[in-house]
Amino acid sequence: MEEINSTPLRRSEQLGEEIEERIVTGVYPPGTRLDEQELAASFGVSRTPVREALIQLASAGLIDVRPRRSAIVPEMSAERLYEMFEVMAELEAMCGQLAARRIRPEELEQLQEAHRACEVARDAGDPDTYYQLNEVFHRRIYEASHNGFLAEQAMALHRRLRPYRRLQLRVRNRMSTSFSEHAEIVAAIVEGDGAKVADTLRAHVVMQGERFTDLVSTLREFNAGDNTSGGI
Amino acid sequence: MEEINSTPLRRSEQLGEEIEERIVTGVYPPGTRLDEQELAASFGVSRTPVREALIQLASAGLIDVRPRRSAIVPEMSAERLYEMFEVMAELEAMCGQLAARRIRPEELEQLQEAHRACEVARDAGDPDTYYQLNEVFHRRIYEASHNGFLAEQAMALHRRLRPYRRLQLRVRNRMSTSFSEHAEIVAAIVEGDGAKVADTLRAHVVMQGERFTDLVSTLREFNAGDNTSGGI
DNA sequence: TTAACGTGTCTTGTATACAATATTTCATTA
DNA sequence: TAATGAAATATTGTATACAAGACACGTTAA
C-alpha cells in the first residue's frame, strides 16, 4: 500500500504540470509550437488529455491558442514582462503589509529560518540553491498574509515569472543584493512596520523587473534559437 | 481602435462564456452540480466541448472539479469572499495610482463621460443600469493604467465578484454612496494625485467587501438558490 | 522568374465508443 | 428498524473516428 498521492490527479493535470514545467524551464522556449499529436505520442496517451492540459495552460495564460492552429509558447515582449513584474511587486507588497500585521510567532520563526537558509546559499555562491530557497522565503510571506486567495494569486504569478527571475540571479552581485533586501524585509516585519515592509518588497521585486538592460538580455537568451518575428 | 473580434471562438469557448454567465448571474447557484451530459444535451453538442469549457472554468477558479466526480459551483465562504475583495481593492488601487500618472486626455474624457452616465442611472434610481455603467467606469480606469496585464487581472477578478457586487447595489443608499466615491476618484485623477486615487479606490472597493453583515446576507441569498434553475 | 491558384496533406475541433470509478438501490442480517 | 454490503446504474476519464479548416507545395500563366 504505497498510495502516496491521496488525490489521484487526472492524467491531464499531470500532463499540464509537466508541460508547464517544460515551458517555465525553457525546454519549450517561446515560439515553440505545441503539436497535440506529438505531445500525445511523447507522453504515450491520446490527444484528449493533451488537449485538456493545453486548454488549462491557455487559461492560465501560459500558452496562446488560436483557433484551428497549434498552441504556441508566447514570446513575451519586454513590455509585457515589465507589466507582469509591476503587478508582482504590488502583490508582494500587499502580502508583506498584511504579513506585518498578521504573522504569528511560529510563522515568523519559519520565515527567519528560510532567511538563514538563503544566507548559506549566498555564502556558498550557489545561485540554483539560492533560487529555490528564495522561493520558500517568499512563499512564507505569502502565507503569513493570511489571505489564502492572495497567496494563491501571488504564487501563480511568481511561478510564471520563474524563468526570468532565475536567470537574473546570475547577474553580478544580484544574489548578495537580494539577500540584503531580504534582511531588511524580515527586520521590518519584526518591527511590524507594514508600510516599510511593503515598500521594501516592492523595490525588491521591481529591481528584478525594472532594469530593461538585464531584462532584454534575459529575453534574448530565452528567445535564442528562434529568430522569427523577433519579439525583442 | 478596437479589434472587431477577428478570431472566431471555438465552441468550447462560447460554452465557457455561457456557463460562466450562468454561474455569475446565479442561474447555477453555488452547490450546483454541473453534469456533463446534461449540459451537452442542453447545448446540443457532445460532451467534448463541454468538458473543455469546464476545465477552462476550473482553472479560472470559477468551479471546482474533483476527479471522477461532477464539477460543482463552489460555495464561497464569507472569509474567502472577503479575501477576494481585499485583493480586488488593491488591484483597483494600483490601477488608479498608475492611471493618475499615465492617463491621456482622451481617456480622461472617456472616464468623465462614463462618470456622467452613472449619474444619470443614479438619478433614475436604476441599479441594473448603474451596475453596468459602473463596470464601464472601472474598466476605463483599468485601461488607463496602461498596464495591459494588470488590466486583464483586474477585469478577471472584477468579473468573478460580479454577482456579489451586484446584489450589494440594492443595499440602501449604496448607489448614491458609490457615485460620490466615483466623483472623488475622478477629481483625484484630474489632480494627478496618485496616492489619493489609490486610497479612495481602495476604500471604495473595501466598502463593498468589508461589511460582513451585508456580505453574509448576500451569501445567504445566494446559497438559498438551491431550488431548481430559478435564476436571480 | 514570379505571382496566383488549386489540390493534397496535415492539424485541430467534435462526436462517439469504451473503460474505470463513484453513487444508488435494494436485499440481507443483526 | 437500522446497518451493511453487493449488484446495478450513472457519470467521469480516455481512446478512437470522423469532419473541417489551415498550411505546403507544385503547377500554370503572365
Side-chain angles (χ1 to χ4, degrees):
Chain A
M1 266 279 200
E2 25 192 347
E3 179 86 16
I4 299 169
N5 227 348
S6 61
T7 46
L9 291 174
R10 283 200 312 281
R11 208 95 187 86
S12 67
E13 289 185 41
Q14 295 176 16
L15 293 178
E17 288 186 13
E18 179 57 31
I19 296 171
E20 178 176 348
E21 189 64 24
R22 292 187 187 180
I23 292 171
V24 141
T25 58
V27 176
Y28 297 152
T32 305
R33 271 174 37 108
L34 299 169
D35 183 288
E36 294 177 4
Q37 297 195 106
E38 212 172 294
L39 288 170
S42 84
F43 285 113
V45 297
S46 76
R47 272 177 52 219
T48 309
V50 171
R51 270 184 74 79
E52 298 190 346
L54 292 182
I55 288 165
Q56 232 176 321
L57 294 176
S59 71
L62 254 104
I63 63 176
D64 284 350
V65 294
R66 301 104 77 205
R68 294 277 173 198
R69 311 184 55 181
S70 300
I72 61 168
V73 181
E75 312 220 5
M76 267 195 275
S77 65
E79 185 188 354
R80 179 75 173 180
L81 206 47
Y82 180 71
E83 290 177 355
M84 291 172 75
F85 270 104
E86 203 169 49
V87 173
M88 185 78 247
E90 205 56 38
L91 289 182
E92 296 256 4
M94 185 181 175
C95 287
Q97 179 137 32
L98 293 176
R101 281 216 303 274
R102 302 177 181 171
I103 197 167
R104 294 173 192 165
E106 69 270 21
E107 290 174 333
L108 183 54
E109 180 45 48
Q110 289 181 322
L111 179 65
Q112 288 169 323
E113 189 187 315
H115 182 50
R116 284 191 298 270
C118 282
E119 186 168 29
V120 174
R122 180 205 58 170
D123 291 343
D126 180 352
D128 288 320
T129 304
Y130 185 88
Y131 159 78
Q132 287 185 316
L133 295 169
N134 175 62
E135 289 218 328
V136 175
F137 179 82
H138 282 275
R139 192 164 52 235
R140 292 259 187 269
I141 295 176
Y142 302 158
E143 283 162 2
S145 76
H146 287 275
N147 179 325
F149 179 73
L150 173 61
E152 283 171 25
Q153 296 295 112
M155 269 188 277
L157 185 51
H158 186 94
R159 185 170 170 78
R160 249 176 104 176
L161 290 172
R162 254 169 70 178
Y164 306 100
R165 194 183 300 106
R166 177 174 229 160
L167 291 173
Q168 287 225 331
L169 276 179
R170 295 197 161 72
V171 172
R172 192 176 64 84
N173 279 341
R174 182 69 197 114
M175 210 162 40
S176 252
T177 314
S178 168
F179 180 77
S180 310
E181 289 164 357
H182 283 195
E184 266 192 83
I185 291 161
V186 173
I189 288 180
V190 170
E191 291 172 34
D193 187 342
K196 189 173 170 191
V197 176
D199 288 343
T200 314
L201 262 167
R202 197 170 1 238
H204 177 58
V205 176
V206 163
M207 170 143 307
Q208 301 167 347
E210 204 162 45
R211 300 219 198 132
F212 263 93
T213 318
D214 296 355
L215 206 59
V216 170
S217 72
T218 295
L219 280 168
R220 285 261 164 65
E221 182 166 346
F222 239 72
N223 290 340
D226 165 276
N227 34 2
T228 63
S229 74
I232 269 225
Chain B
M1 197 80 78
E2 276 224 346
E3 186 131 350
I4 311 174
N5 202 9
S6 61
T7 51
L9 292 174
R10 284 200 313 280
R11 204 94 189 82
S12 67
E13 287 186 42
Q14 295 176 16
L15 293 178
E17 288 187 11
E18 179 57 30
I19 296 171
E20 177 176 348
E21 188 64 23
R22 292 187 186 181
I23 291 171
V24 140
T25 58
V27 176
Y28 298 150
T32 304
R33 272 173 35 107
L34 298 169
D35 185 287
E36 295 177 2
Q37 299 195 107
E38 213 173 295
L39 287 171
S42 84
F43 285 113
V45 297
S46 78
R47 272 177 53 221
T48 309
V50 170
R51 270 185 75 78
E52 299 191 343
L54 292 181
I55 287 166
Q56 230 176 323
L57 294 176
S59 70
L62 253 104
I63 64 177
D64 284 349
V65 293
R66 300 150 311 172
R68 296 277 173 195
R69 308 184 58 180
S70 299
I72 61 169
V73 181
E75 313 222 3
M76 267 196 273
S77 66
E79 186 189 352
R80 180 75 173 179
L81 205 48
Y82 180 70
E83 290 178 355
M84 292 172 74
F85 270 104
E86 205 169 46
V87 174
M88 186 78 245
E90 206 56 38
L91 289 182
E92 296 256 3
M94 186 182 175
C95 287
Q97 180 137 31
L98 293 176
R101 281 216 303 275
R102 302 177 182 171
I103 197 166
R104 294 172 193 165
E106 67 272 20
E107 290 173 332
L108 183 55
E109 180 46 48
Q110 288 181 321
L111 179 65
Q112 288 169 322
E113 187 187 316
H115 182 50
R116 284 192 296 270
C118 282
E119 185 169 30
V120 174
R122 180 203 60 169
D123 291 342
D126 180 351
D128 288 320
T129 304
Y130 186 89
Y131 159 78
Q132 288 186 317
L133 295 170
N134 176 63
E135 289 218 327
V136 174
F137 179 81
H138 282 274
R139 191 161 56 233
R140 292 261 188 265
I141 295 176
Y142 303 158
E143 284 162 3
S145 76
H146 287 275
N147 179 324
F149 180 73
L150 173 61
E152 281 171 27
Q153 297 295 112
M155 268 188 277
L157 186 49
H158 186 95
R159 184 170 172 79
R160 250 176 102 175
L161 290 172
R162 254 170 70 176
Y164 306 101
R165 194 182 302 106
R166 178 177 228 161
L167 290 173
Q168 288 225 331
L169 275 179
R170 295 197 160 72
V171 172
R172 192 176 65 83
N173 278 343
R174 183 66 197 115
M175 209 163 41
S176 254
T177 314
S178 168
F179 180 77
S180 309
E181 289 163 358
H182 283 195
E184 266 191 83
I185 292 160
V186 172
I189 289 180
V190 169
E191 291 171 34
D193 186 342
K196 188 174 173 191
V197 176
D199 289 342
T200 313
L201 262 167
R202 195 166 8 234
H204 177 58
V205 175
V206 163
M207 169 143 307
Q208 301 166 348
E210 205 160 44
R211 302 220 195 130
F212 263 91
T213 316
D214 297 354
L215 207 59
V216 169
S217 72
T218 295
L219 279 169
R220 286 261 165 65
E221 182 168 345
F222 239 73
N223 290 341
D226 286 294
N227 49 359
T228 54
S229 52
I232 280 263

